[in-house]
Amino acid sequence: MEAKVAPIVSLGAEIVERIHRLAAISETADVITRVFLTAEHRAAAELLMGWMRDAGMTAQLDAIGNVCGRYEGDRPGLPCLMIGSHFDTVRDAGRWDGPLGVIAAIACVGDLNRRGKRLPFALEVTGFADEEGVRFASTLLGSRAVAGTFNESALGSKDRAGLTIREAMVAFGLDPEHIGAAARARSELLGYVELHIEQGPVLEAKQLPVGVVTAIAGATRLAVELRGMAGHAGTVPMALRRDALAGAAECIVAIEEFCASDRDGLVGTVGYINAMPGATNVIPGMVSFTIDMRSPRDSFRKLAVADVVRQIEEIARRRHLALEINVTHENRTVPCAAWLQQQVAEAVKDEGYPVFELPSGAGHDGMAMIDIADVAMLFVCCRGGISHHPAEHVEPADVEAGARVLLRLIENFRANA
Ligand code: GLV
Ligand code: MN
Ligand code: MN
């Protein structure tokens, strides 16, 4: 679709080139995996801070490892419009989920800086260090620290190697006793805006490059552990077994069947499972797995989670398995602020695109930032709706459209009276 105002400088080309450069920072050469408090986290943060400084911002790492860039307004020390997203990834990830929002925001500030333009408010670009929650059993750690809602009890959460967040922070060079220093005050922020790929198929089906987000669906994550009895795969009769993996399999099918009704946008996923001791000829004695359940209707999600827990308890009882089940993450549905959403819509319209509104099924840092700021989001179309997958892709023209809308939003931004 043609934009009304032809871009003077292409923002998209620079953004796409940087997306590929950031994607090269990964735990493994052949796939993208970049998780919290690792050497890759450090290298990505350094690269982003360099780009921030080139764009005329001051840049620093905060007390949890987020990257924070600031571009002063027409006088120093003004409250800011914060634009952010995350630069950590899932395992075997795509390259756009998260980084597009950070890199596009830097490109917009760079454009203002090239034109010597200052605004009657400051701009801050934040790259959150942990949104995906892949390494530890908790998510949104970066944005929760900024929102001042980081739960200190999370410091004891362990990664798969048994390292706690506390230990990983020290190894990274951060002080776990000092996380509070990352917190920002509500009075410092005029609003929080995030540009992100849609991660679903709706915009592509409508042939739209961008969409205005109405709300971010609430989510609950659980960690489940089933303990049975390990034993010899050749000698223990089937009727006498307490096979933890067979029990987990029954739980997984029950979750899938329960969520299959598609009521109130309910979705449920078991994304990680580990069976111990993990040998061909040994009956699995212990299994741990995760559950992720989401619905934009919070009351319904809570009832659904309670129902699934009841079903798992019943399966464990019948199979004589010991059960431990814990909620590791819970977020209510976050509505985008009407006044800010309106300004996103105006920017979309001013760039010559139809205004289309849609909710987000995926989680975003706005779910944490809502505690200190009004939140809005702009979605950019991604191919086939594919995300959390190496095939994730955004067309360069859609990158350009998204960046143009974000720049327009920034330049026309008016604080809520
Ligand atoms: C993050 O991508 C999430 O929705 O879990
Ligand atoms: Mn993601
Ligand atoms: Mn994301």
Side-chain angles (χ1 to χ4, degrees), residues 6-43:
I8 301 157
V9 180
S10 161
L11 296 175
E14 178 188 82
I15 295 169
V16 172
E17 191 259 333
R18 289 180 169 184
I19 285 282
H20 296 315
R21 278 175 62 192
L22 190 64
I25 301 175
S26 171
E27 246 172 56
T28 41
D30 45 344
V31 300
I32 303 170
T33 301
R34 194 169 52 243
V35 303
F36 190 38
L37 301 174
T38 56
E40 296 73 39
H41 170 178
R42 164 91 52 205

Side-chain angles (χ1 to χ4, degrees), residues 86 97-98 131-132 196 199 363-364:
H86 58 99
D97 170 7
E131 185 266 2
E132 303 286 7
H196 200 283
Q199 304 180 276
H364 300 287

Side-chain angles (χ1 to χ4, degrees), residues 78 97 131 157 190 241 290 351 374:
L78 290 169
D97 170 7
E131 185 266 2
S157 301
L190 301 172
R241 295 185 180 201
T290 59
E351 283 299 317
D374 283 346

Side-chain angles (χ1 to χ4, degrees), residues 137-140 144 217-222 293 298-299 301-303 305 327-333 367 371:
S138 199
T139 179
L140 299 172
R144 284 204 202 286
T220 306
R221 291 184 182 181
L222 303 116
M293 289 180 68
D298 288 332
S299 53
R301 173 175 45 84
K302 283 185 184 151
L303 286 174
V305 168
V327 174
T328 54
H329 166 83
E330 172 120 47
N331 241 117
R332 66 187 166 93
T333 293
M367 298 174 104
D371 287 327

Side-chain angles (χ1 to χ4, degrees), residues 92-169:
D92 202 0
R95 54 191 62 203
W96 304 88
D97 170 7
L100 179 60
V102 185
I103 291 173
I106 296 171
C108 289
V109 177
D111 190 82
L112 294 175
N113 188 48
R114 270 192 298 275
R115 289 186 278 134
K117 183 152 185 176
R118 296 281 164 178
L119 299 164
F121 51 90
L123 281 172
E124 291 198 18
V125 178
T126 307
F128 294 108
D130 175 87
E131 185 266 2
E132 303 286 7
V134 161
R135 182 168 178 192
F136 301 98
S138 199
T139 179
L140 299 172
L141 295 172
S143 40
R144 284 204 202 286
V146 171
T149 56
F150 186 94
N151 185 347
E152 300 279 318
S153 67
L155 286 172
S157 301
K158 291 182 180 163
D159 68 6
R160 288 181 200 174
L163 208 69
T164 63
I165 296 185
R166 186 187 297 281
E167 290 161 342
M169 281 187 75

Side-chain angles (χ1 to χ4, degrees), residues 230-279:
H232 198 293
T235 60
V236 184
M238 297 306 284
L240 298 183
R241 295 185 180 201
R242 290 167 57 218
D243 182 332
L245 185 53
E250 192 179 340
C251 295
I252 294 167
V253 172
I255 294 164
E256 188 188 41
E257 279 175 2
F258 183 80
C259 296
S261 63
D262 204 23
R263 276 166 301 169
D264 288 286
L266 179 70
V267 287
T269 307
V270 173
Y272 168 78
I273 185 160
N274 183 39
M276 299 289 282

